[in-house]
Amino acid sequence: MELTPHLYHWLIRPKWITKKYVHNVLTEHVHFSNKSVLDFGTGTGANSVICEPSGYLGVDLNKKRIELAKRNYPNYRFDVINGPLSVIEQSFDIIMIVAVLHHIPPKKVSSYVKEFGKALNPNGGRIVVMEPCFFENTPISNRFMHKNDNGKYIQYEQGYLNFFLSEGFQCKVLKRYSKCLFYNELFFIAY
């Protein structure tokens, strides 16, 4: 069942959970100041606040979530995307992907990764990825995520990394952790 943007923002992305398990982890490892950032799959825009408004662009397929993001974060730029990212003619220092890939069929992820390469600043640009992840030796968490997450394509670590490695990126895992007891999270960069 798909939640309305308001319910999603209130239940799934409340400020305290987002700050603790997403923003704190991201800003511990990545510096967003003075960077141009593409937030791919921005949803309701909750991650915009760790970026500077002048360099931020949040994109999502869901028009209603983008409308809510624009109301909640009026100083930031948000757009609905209906097709390939190649329509975005900007070179980004950071492409941020938080809890998005596990909603996209693997073949489509590969085509997006190619587009990320085109939208990324060739002089040191980074793709920052944070996704729910099945971990070895965590059968209870894996079952919980499989049963309760709307994303149908949760991967094991190597599956996520392979999306980027197969397109010539190098990857570095920065953190593996549990969020809210039963959710395993993988945080890595591709460059």
Side-chain angles (χ1 to χ4, degrees):
M1 174 181 90
E2 174 122 2
L3 298 173
T4 67
H6 288 286
L7 280 176
Y8 176 85
H9 194 69
W10 186 68
L11 290 172
I12 307 299
R13 291 281 179 198
K15 287 183 181 180
W16 75 270
I17 286 178
T18 301
K19 181 169 179 27
K20 180 176 181 175
Y21 293 109
V22 179
H23 297 170
N24 289 352
V25 174
L26 285 169
T27 57
E28 179 183 337
H29 297 280
V30 180
H31 302 287
F32 291 91
S33 59
N34 298 316
K35 303 286 185 195
S36 58
V37 178
L38 174 65
D39 186 357
F40 177 75
T42 189
T44 59
N47 297 323
S48 63
V49 297
I50 62 173
C51 304
E52 294 176 0
S54 61
Y56 176 89
L57 172 61
V59 297
D60 202 289
L61 296 170
N62 188 307
K63 182 180 178 186
K64 290 185 181 199
R65 288 187 181 186
I66 289 295
E67 288 169 358
L68 181 62
K70 287 179 177 181
R71 282 194 304 274
N72 286 346
Y73 308 100
N75 296 328
Y76 293 85
R77 191 172 67 147
F78 299 96
D79 286 325
V80 176
I81 54 168
N82 294 317
L85 287 179
S86 56
V87 300
I88 298 171
E89 297 190 17
Q90 186 173 344
S91 180
F92 293 93
D93 299 314
I94 298 171
I95 296 176
M96 179 169 47
I97 307 166
V98 177
V100 176
L101 299 179
H102 72 289
H103 292 283
I104 302 171
K107 285 185 180 181
K108 202 165 188 178
V109 171
S110 296
S111 66
Y112 277 122
V113 171
K114 287 178 184 169
E115 293 181 38
F116 297 151
K118 295 174 188 171
L120 197 62
N121 181 340
N123 298 316
R126 300 279 186 255
I127 301 172
V128 177
V129 182
M130 186 179 285
E131 288 289 331
C133 185
F134 295 137
F135 289 165
E136 301 293 334
N137 304 316
T138 62
I140 294 171
S141 293
N142 292 350
R143 274 195 301 275
F144 179 85
M145 290 187 305
H146 180 72
K147 182 174 172 64
N148 295 293
D149 196 293
N150 272 350
K152 296 178 181 172
Y153 308 102
I154 299 174
Q155 305 284 316
Y156 281 88
E157 180 177 310
Q158 198 59 50
Y160 287 120
L161 298 179
N162 284 344
F163 290 136
F164 295 88
L165 294 170
S166 67
E167 293 303 323
F169 286 95
Q170 295 179 46
C171 296
K172 180 178 180 184
V173 173
L174 299 175
K175 191 167 186 167
R176 298 169 188 91
Y177 63 103
S178 290
K179 176 173 86 175
C180 298
L181 194 60
F182 289 114
Y183 259 77
N184 299 325
E185 293 283 327
L186 177 67
F187 174 40
F188 68 95
I189 59 169
Y191 52 97

